[in-house]
Amino acid sequence: MENAMITMKNINKGYMLGEERLPILKDINFQVNKGEYVAILGPSGSGKSTIIKLLTGELVPSRGRVMINGFSMSNITRRQIPLMRRTVGVIFQDFRLI
């Protein structure tokens, strides 16, 4: 855990679809250690963007804990989010500069 830069533990996340809750992530666990490179692959609707949004603080999990470089995403302040985001790089598959 000492070298862990990113930790997701027992993550659950769902979205409301009308009056029904649609589960997207269920009991997700992983760790990214210092020096590792990680790619997230999967079919459309598998939760890739949801994982990225959890890592950048755009979303909070329904259950579980996300840690980024010592920041707990469950109790990070709004002022700390830009500082945390400077420590994580995200490269999207398809981006366009306008």
Side-chain angles (χ1 to χ4, degrees):
M1 190 89 154
E2 189 173 301
N3 286 330
M5 295 178 67
I6 297 172
T7 302
M8 293 187 100
K9 191 166 185 127
N10 301 319
I11 297 296
N12 286 325
K13 181 64 182 169
Y15 295 101
M16 294 303 291
L17 183 61
E19 293 185 25
E20 185 180 344
R21 183 165 196 80
L22 180 65
I24 301 297
L25 302 174
K26 185 176 179 185
D27 296 324
I28 299 296
N29 292 286
F30 73 86
Q31 180 174 302
V32 179
N33 294 318
K34 187 174 182 176
E36 291 183 319
Y37 291 87
V38 174
I40 301 173
L41 306 171
S44 179
S46 63
K48 302 177 302 290
S49 295
T50 300
I51 289 173
I52 296 299
K53 288 178 181 181
L54 289 166
L55 294 175
T56 59
E58 293 176 59
L59 294 175
V60 294
S62 304
R63 193 183 84 185
R65 184 172 177 153
V66 179
M67 294 289 295
I68 309 285
N69 292 321
F71 291 97
S72 172
M73 298 307 290
S74 59
N75 57 13
I76 192 169
T77 67
R78 270 200 131 110
R79 294 182 72 202
Q80 291 175 314
I81 288 176
L83 178 62
M84 178 280 302
R85 286 181 179 162
R86 288 184 214 133
T87 71
V88 176
V90 176
I91 301 172
F92 293 94
Q93 176 181 340
D94 185 23
F95 68 93
R96 293 184 180 94
L97 296 176
I98 299 176

